[in-house]
Amino acid sequence: MKDSQVESPTASITTSDRLPRSASVVIIGGGIVGLTAALTLSERGVQVVVLEKGSVAGEQSSRNQGWIRKTSRAPADVPLAAASDRLWAGLAERVGSDVGYRQAGILFLAKSEAEMHVHEKWLQSVEQCDLDSRLLTLRDIDHLVPGGRGDWAGGIYTPSDGRAEPSLAAYAIARAARAKGAIILENCAVRSLVLSGSRVTGAVTEHGEIRSDAVLLAGGLWSRRFLGNLGVDLPTLPLTVSVARTAPMEGPTEIAVGGPDFSFRKHADGGFIVTQRSAVKAPITLDHLLIGQRYISSLKTQGRYLRVSIGREFFQDLALPRRWKPDARSPFERVRTKDPAIDQRAIGEAFAALSAAWPVFEQAEIVQTWAGTVDVTPDSTPVIDHVSSIPGLTVCTGFSGHGFGTSPTAGELAADLITGADPIIDPSPYRFGRFAAS
């Protein structure tokens, strides 16, 4: 295989170059979740300004794998994902542009009876969710994904799961939001909030202040540091995943497939997006030492996937301030875009395992590799809620690697909370207060 390494996929849109004096809602973070919230609010006639420290969708919104799934989600989290299916299906028409959405299904493989038991237990746990998920035999797998030679114990398949293209979706949403009146500024970091008493009355940016009745923090992996400077504790830790894209090639299926140590899904150009599912980099940072004990439960079930290390990332993180004044340069101006190192070893492992299972991938040519860092909460579930100690501040973050697939509903739910509209789904699983006793 030929490996031609390039940077993560990016695109650009026309954005504003002047900070307005005021807006009804200021959104911190120009990722896909913040952009979807901006689109929803703009469609409702709310004046919105999106402030992005770097470039729109420059971090995980353009670096993820593009999966849109309900499979293996916690039962309380399924309604968020299920509602997103409907919104993804209508998104291209809504934004007037292709987002690469295909409802082609997702299949997870099991190499042992113990892994099949995990799928069986999950299926039982979501019986009330009316999903189309079903267990598969090896014969079923050979029919759905032909040409394989893996001796699988079985699998689980959800036909209504799907995929979309990160390189298209966020930018299409941003353009649609601007067409509806939203203002989007790149290279405009928010340093802090303007408070009257304890209530939000605006935001302090590197280019000055903007007045606002409400602020939505959709800052992804940077949200913990932003809130920490305000005295608010949000427990999240960073994890990094490396991804590869192949040149267009004949493949076994349109279905996205997750194996024990690989995953693949069809790309819009005819290639495949491939990762090593059991190799997630976990470079130690100060936060691991400060709040790592909150993750003991998840480590018991997911710890075998982590590749823990301590090195350059620790000192880079330590060099970024955790407290700063509104008139001082913030961490978000020092690091405009988180661009982690690519784990070429993990990518090589993924293609070796994938080729052993489906020999057609032995001829795959890698044309692009990249890495992205996600923010993970102790229960792998996001926070979509008001911050009770700071009235006027709402948080929509901590998506633990699931933000792209659930972004249509997550952004709309955040807009509902800000405007007081009936929420699109029950927001209680995403309350901030669930971490209070952690």
Side-chain angles (χ1 to χ4, degrees):
M1 292 179 295
K2 180 183 178 182
D3 186 342
S4 176
Q5 179 177 323
V6 298
E7 294 181 355
S8 64
T10 58
S12 62
I13 64 166
T14 302
T15 57
S16 301
D17 58 5
R18 180 176 299 180
L19 181 71
R21 296 181 61 184
S22 65
S24 296
V25 178
V26 166
I27 297 177
I28 303 173
I32 193 168
V33 171
L35 294 170
T36 303
L39 175 60
T40 304
L41 290 166
S42 297
E43 290 171 336
R44 298 176 184 179
V46 178
Q47 184 185 23
V48 182
V49 173
V50 179
L51 303 177
E52 165 56 44
K53 65 181 175 56
S55 59
V56 165
E59 294 180 319
Q60 196 57 19
S61 291
S62 63
R63 297 168 185 246
N64 65 85
Q65 301 166 60
W67 289 37
I68 299 169
R69 67 172 177 86
K70 301 173 291 297
T71 312
S72 297
R73 291 194 183 279
D77 197 34
V78 168
L80 179 73
S84 291
D85 286 347
R86 173 179 57 82
L87 294 178
W88 272 112
L91 189 58
E93 181 178 358
R94 180 183 179 188
V95 302
S97 180
D98 181 29
V99 295
Y101 176 68
R102 303 292 184 271
Q103 196 171 49
I106 292 178
L107 187 165
F108 286 99
L109 302 165
K111 65 179 179 180
S112 66
E113 291 302 326
E115 290 181 359
M116 277 302 294
H117 183 60
V118 172
H119 293 320
E120 291 168 0
K121 286 185 64 177
W122 176 79
L123 199 55
Q124 293 169 2
S125 75
V126 295
E127 283 180 343
Q128 306 304 314
C129 296
D130 194 28
L131 301 181
D132 58 347
S133 305
R134 66 177 187 267
L135 300 175
L136 301 181
T137 65
L138 177 57
R139 178 176 294 184
D140 296 328
I141 294 168
D142 288 340
H143 174 70
L144 289 169
V145 194
R149 58 186 178 194
D151 186 21
W152 307 110
I156 188 167
Y157 174 49
T158 305
S160 60
D161 282 349
R163 65 177 190 264
E165 296 302 338
S167 57
L168 297 176
Y171 312 106
I173 294 168
R175 289 191 295 269
R178 290 194 74 238
K180 293 289 184 179
I183 296 173
I184 301 173
L185 274 77
E186 295 181 314
N187 298 306
C188 184
V190 177
R191 293 174 170 174
S192 190
L193 301 178
V194 180
L195 303 176
S196 179
S198 63
R199 182 172 184 82
V200 170
T201 57
V204 182
T205 82
E206 61 182 298
H207 300 307
E209 292 189 8
I210 177 171
R211 296 192 302 273
S212 179
D213 299 324
V215 170
L216 172 63
L217 175 61
L221 65 97
W222 300 98
S223 297
R224 170 172 167 77
R225 198 172 295 259
F226 184 88
L227 289 172
N229 191 47
L230 298 172
V232 178
D233 178 41
L234 170 70
T236 59
L237 290 177
L239 294 176
T240 299
V241 178
S242 294
V243 188
R245 180 173 63 87
T246 76
M249 58 177 284
E250 292 296 324
T253 184
E254 289 284 329
I255 297 169
V257 177
D261 46 10
F262 64 83
S263 72
F264 66 90
R265 65 96 172 166
K266 195 72 175 287
H267 187 268
D269 71 355
F272 284 85
I273 302 295
V274 178
T275 61
Q276 216 285 44
R277 290 188 66 230
S278 61
V280 180
K281 290 184 69 175
I284 296 297
T285 65
L286 178 60
D287 280 337
H288 288 82
L289 307 180
L290 295 173
I291 62 172
Q293 74 279 3
R294 303 193 192 188
Y295 291 78
I296 291 175
S297 177
S298 60
L299 279 173
K300 291 178 180 178
T301 57
Q302 306 295 326
R304 65 186 183 277
Y305 300 126
L306 302 181
R307 293 190 173 174
V308 180
S309 64
I310 184 166
R312 182 178 58 184
E313 293 90 346
F314 180 87
F315 297 101
Q316 289 175 337
D317 175 79
L318 202 60
L320 290 177
R322 291 173 178 267
R323 294 290 186 271
W324 62 92
K325 295 181 179 180
D327 60 352
R329 188 175 179 228
S330 69
F332 322 117
E333 295 152 74
R334 300 187 186 201
V335 182
R336 297 285 180 181
T337 301
K338 177 73 171 178
D339 193 18
I342 301 165
D343 188 346
Q344 299 292 356
R345 172 189 164 199
I347 289 174
E349 292 169 351
F351 275 94
L354 179 52
S355 298
W358 275 275
V360 66
F361 285 98
E362 292 175 354
Q363 305 304 316
E365 177 191 1
I366 300 175
V367 296
Q368 192 173 41
T369 59
W370 66 89
T373 301
V374 301
D375 52 327
V376 180
T377 63
D379 58 8
S380 296
T381 301
V383 174
I384 311 173
D385 197 6
H386 301 300
V387 178
S388 59
S389 60
I390 307 178
L393 176 61
T394 303
V395 173
C396 191
T397 196
F399 284 87
S400 307
H402 310 145
F404 180 80
T406 58
S407 59
T409 304
E412 184 162 333
L413 177 58
D416 292 339
L417 295 178
I418 291 169
T419 61
D422 291 337
I424 183 172
I425 60 166
D426 177 11
S428 61
Y430 310 106
R431 65 192 186 283
F432 207 147
R434 73 184 191 271
F435 298 123
S438 297

